[in-house]
């Protein structure tokens, strides 16, 4: 997926969860932050950011002309030594890699991933791909068909990196628990089901639920696995104006379980 009208600026501050102040072309602007998560480990004053301009903001009734969609994260020593192709050098000489923070991007990237046939380990080109599909009292992000068997998929975007391990959530999410339990119920009814964690960056060695922040979600993920839900995590190729699902990442579940 690609964004139009993107320019690079420098992050200044985040007065509230919806807005950020950015220095762009020597001028301070206000941007809409497309992610209500905390992002404290990313939104550090002075880091490069990708900002999308919306020239039709006034006619659309937007309060701001800009959206903050990507943040540059300083590369660690391992990344520098391995020479990842996603690394870039900023004006200050430091090496960074882009992290997409648009909370709507993972769903679009997952839809494209399914549609182009580059992803699923058992079904390279699924059929009947649909978005926002209702099942019972739940609504799943995606559905598709594999050899006649219908599947439901819930997509979660991940931006939290703890020492090379991507973790979700970065704040408690009762909604996330509900989705996992609903996927388990779908399996019991004879459907296929998967939870896809889209890691919105490269440079990640593993994924794990954030049991410290929300132990109930970690328990729900283990429960979903026991109930037959597939747990997948994939990293992404990210630039300031694009994101594409790339490679699978090892999933580590608590209590000795694995995916």
């Amino acid at each position: 997926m690609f964004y139009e009208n993107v320019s690079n600026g420098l992050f200044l501050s985040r007065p509230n969860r919806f807005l950020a102040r950015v220095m762009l072309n020597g001028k301070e602007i206000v941007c809409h932050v497309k992610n209500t998560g905390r992002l404290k480990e990313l939104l550090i004053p002075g880091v490069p950011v990708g900002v999308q301009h919306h020239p039709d903001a006034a006619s659309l009734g937007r309060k701001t002309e800009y959206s903050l969609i990507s943040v540059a994260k300083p590369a660690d020593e391992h990344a520098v030594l391995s020479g990842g192709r996603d690394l870039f050098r900023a004006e200050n000489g430091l090496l960074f890699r882009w992290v997409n923070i648009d909370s709507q991007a993972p769903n679009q990237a997952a839809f494209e991933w399914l549609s182009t046939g580059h992803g699923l380990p058992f079904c390279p080109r699924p059929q009947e791909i649909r978005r926002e599909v209702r099942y019972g009292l739940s609504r799943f992000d995606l559905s598709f068909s594999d050899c006649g068997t219908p599947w439901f998929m819930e997509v979660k975007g991940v931006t939290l990196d703890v020492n090379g391990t991507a973790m979700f959530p970065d704040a408690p999410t009762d909604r996330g628990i509900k989705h996992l339990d609903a996927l388990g119920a779908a399996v019991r009814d004879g459907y296929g089901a998967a939870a896809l964690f889209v890691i919105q960056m490269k440079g990640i060695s593993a994924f794990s639920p954030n049991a410290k922040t929300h132990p109930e979600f970690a328990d729900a993920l283990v429960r979903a696995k026991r109930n037959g839900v597939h747990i997948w995590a994939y990293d992404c190729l990210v630039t300031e104006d694009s994101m594409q699902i790339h490679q699978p990442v090892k999933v580590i579940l608590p209590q000795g379980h694995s995916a």
Side-chain angles (χ1 to χ4, degrees), residues 41-87:
E41 76 284 357
L42 293 174
L43 295 179
I44 301 171
V47 298
V49 293
V51 175
Q52 183 179 28
H53 181 233
H54 304 279
D56 52 355
S59 62
L60 294 176
R62 289 178 54 97
K63 295 182 179 179
T64 63
E65 292 186 23
Y66 297 90
S67 293
L68 182 61
I69 59 171
S70 54
V71 180
K73 177 182 178 182
D76 59 22
E77 181 178 355
H78 173 73
V80 174
L81 292 176
S82 62
R85 62 173 175 166
D86 61 314
L87 299 178

Side-chain angles (χ1 to χ4, degrees), residues 154-225:
E154 190 64 22
V155 181
K156 304 296 183 187
V158 186
T159 60
L160 178 60
D161 169 13
V162 180
N163 300 321
T165 297
M167 306 191 82
F168 181 94
D170 66 353
T173 171
D174 291 336
R175 185 168 177 264
I177 293 175
K178 178 182 176 182
H179 288 155
L180 292 175
D181 288 340
L183 287 173
V187 173
R188 290 193 296 272
D189 291 340
Y191 295 87
L196 174 66
F197 293 89
V198 177
I199 303 166
Q200 296 170 249
M201 67 189 94
K202 289 293 289 183
I204 293 298
S205 59
F207 166 82
S208 183
N210 194 349
K212 182 177 180 180
T213 295
H214 197 186
E216 294 81 6
F217 180 86
D219 292 342
L221 196 60
V222 171
R223 184 167 63 248
K225 174 64 176 177

Side-chain angles (χ1 to χ4, degrees), residues 1 100 105-106 109 112 198 200 236-239 241-245:
M1 59 174 296
N100 183 290
E112 294 176 1
V198 177
Q200 296 170 249
C236 291
L237 293 173
V238 179
T239 69
D241 61 358
S242 69
M243 187 176 86
Q244 180 183 6
I245 291 177

Side-chain angles (χ1 to χ4, degrees), residues 187 219-229 231 253-255 257:
V187 173
D219 292 342
L221 196 60
V222 171
R223 184 167 63 248
K225 174 64 176 177
R226 288 173 175 167
N227 289 335
V229 178
I231 313 297
L253 300 180
Q255 304 171 14
H257 296 275

